[in-house]
Amino acid sequence: MNGKYHIYIPLMAVAVAMCSCSVSRDIPEDSYLLNKTKVVADGKYRDINPGSLKGYVRQKPNSRWFSAVKLPLGVYAMAGKDSSWVNRMLRQMGEAPVIYDTVQAQLTCRDLQQALQNKGYLDAQVELYIDKKKHKLDAVYVLHPGEPYFVRNLDFVIEDSVVANLLRKRNTLLHQGMQFSVETLSAERNAITQYLQNNGYFRFHKEYITYGAKKDEAQHGVDLKLLLQQQHKPYTIGSIMHEGGQDDDGKVHLRQSVLVENTFLAPGDLYSAAKLQNTYNHFGRLGAVRYTNIAFEQQPDTTLLDTKIQVLTNKPSTISFQPEGTNTAGDFGAAASLTYQNRNLFKGSETFSLQLRGAYEAIKGLEGYSNQDFTEYSVETKLSFPRFIMPFLSRNFRRRTIATSELALLYDVQDRPEFHRRVLSTGWSYHWRPQNHHDSYRFDLLNLNYVFMPWISETFKTEYLDNTSNQNVILRYNYEDLFIMKMGFGYTYNNGVVALKTNVETAGNLLGLCSNIFGSSKNELGQYELFNIAYAQYVKGDFDYTQQLFKGANDQLVFHIGLGVAYPYGNAKVLPFEKRYFSGGANSVRGWTVRSLGPGRYKDKDGRINFITMTGDLKLDLNVEYRMRLFWKFNGAIFADAGNVWTLRDYPDQPGGQFKFNRFLSDLAVSYGAGLRLNFDYFILRFDLGMKAINPAFEIESEAHYPLVHPKLSRDLAFHFAVGMPF
């Protein structure tokens, strides 16, 4: 270790010692700081998972950094006794010491015993062991489950014969021979209640269902009886009326067909709690709707329910202004956008938006150009329908899914010192998800992009595009007019533990087929053209997977893999720049800055155009991150990343960039680092410091290939600032 860092070791030791003394000061006499808590089983029963019962422990010790250092407690201990603003802030940011409470410990023993009994261990016992060391105490809760009890005899006693016949049509969760479980009994009770409420029993609730159980200690058995008392009546929906709020004079500002389409209750049908919830869900997702209330009134001396659906709508039009700061490779600038939105354009909760955006950056380090500024202006408009706009779909399918159909149009003007670029794009897409599922889908039926270059500076042409010593095919291709006609499909899944995202798109196939059929002519580069513009042809697929490997009360371990591959063919030998992959940055291999890694072992020779040359057709990201709560709104993370990008073809201008199986592992870049997150609930500010560990741009024999062993901060350190989590 470098000698200049040696001084920090005793300073850290002194700081920890001072915090320890301060913590001791805050502990009352004859009291103990709760240091650790454990829940363990006596080892006889493998189906008991002590970790799943930790939630029953009423007192938790102070949180630790990296499961070792109680820094939040130390921050609290640094506060003095007076009420100055510094001391108040330290107390707010830190954690007060958790003093061991004997009453809470005994209640924990009782709760753990009850939890074991609810799982069928009716003879369970819990013992508490404490270990005192000076002013600290460890509490260990030892579980003695005993033998589990099983249901020996099962009987259903249902007074209402109609209800009894109806319940015979469903599969019960209870059966003879099952291990006795209060959780299963509760689940069966809720399932019966839900089943009856979905079949007309409007006034039925779970309190009508009770259980009787008789324990046989000798046989470790339970005689179980389910009791459903009283007679019950099914109810039918009568009339249905929609009305608005008082502010709208009772009028609903939605078309009648939209009201009917989103109402799942129907006159003459049996009452259904599921259909009631579907009605709430579908009205709630309409952007024009602010509030929905559904009330039922029983007709006298009948079982008919008249339904009143009150729908309050939002103000249709809004205007918003949003300024922002920009930083592109160290070039600072500003941008602003003005957005108009109408959330009920055709009285069907259609959302129309129009956004005007402008941006400016002062560019540094460019020589030989008359202008040193970058300006961008764009206008974007979208029209979204809260339903499928597609023929041949059944009404049943439309009502089972929550869907949006969207039409978008964008025109973007970019003026740089080197060139001027214009982008015109339009597309029609669908987004939908089934109800009560973790899945969602996206289908881009048609997306058209027209990119044209009205002006390129002579300096840029001379130095890069026309320079015989720099004949970069990728560079030249991305400064030509281009037409892209693509279609794509995406699927996402997220259950809170596992997140999966996939996307497949293809471009130019329909145009290529038409060109072959009609025998279109080719340009001097052998490409078919549409309106004298060569069109792109490629296929691209992306796969992204994230999983929580471990989740504790204050920490979690997360794994992520991202894979993408794109291949140009037919009318194109190079991917459009917008479709190429890059590596490095806040969401990739964090030891490298954005667009500074790869492809493969390629090392850029001219930093001015690395945004083009350091791209590829294939990308791999492997990440593992350990996240922990620190104190106040601060969270921390340590991480390790690996990955790179590669080209599928061997481009002379990117030597070493082509993917080859026999050198795949040696081409992987590896980094490690630590991060700090500020969690403000609505958004997260993220700061990450990444260090290179293995750099494939240097030969294996070079020390620079292994920065992990031979670190150099000026070369191997990268800082990232971002909003949101990396994956």
Side-chain angles (χ1 to χ4, degrees), residues 475-539:
L475 185 65
R476 292 196 309 274
Y477 179 74
N478 284 281
Y479 291 94
E480 298 173 351
D481 294 348
L482 182 66
F483 183 76
I484 303 174
M485 177 179 176
K486 74 179 183 71
M487 176 184 294
F489 177 81
Y491 168 78
T492 61
Y493 173 87
N494 192 334
N495 65 1
V497 177
V498 172
L500 171 67
K501 184 177 182 180
T502 61
N503 187 75
V504 177
E505 67 178 66
T506 181
N509 292 330
L510 180 60
L511 294 176
L513 178 63
C514 293
S515 297
N516 286 317
I517 292 176
F518 296 105
S520 302
S521 59
K522 297 182 179 180
N523 60 19
E524 63 276 8
L525 299 177
Q527 297 173 305
Y528 291 113
E529 293 182 331
L530 180 68
F531 307 123
N532 296 322
I533 302 172
Y535 55 84
Q537 193 169 7
Y538 64 88
V539 61

Side-chain angles (χ1 to χ4, degrees), residues 356-377:
L356 304 176
R357 185 178 186 274
Y360 169 84
E361 282 183 1
I363 300 177
K364 301 174 298 185
L366 284 180
E367 298 178 0
Y369 296 91
S370 59
N371 185 14
Q372 297 292 310
D373 300 330
F374 165 69
T375 58
E376 181 179 13
Y377 305 96

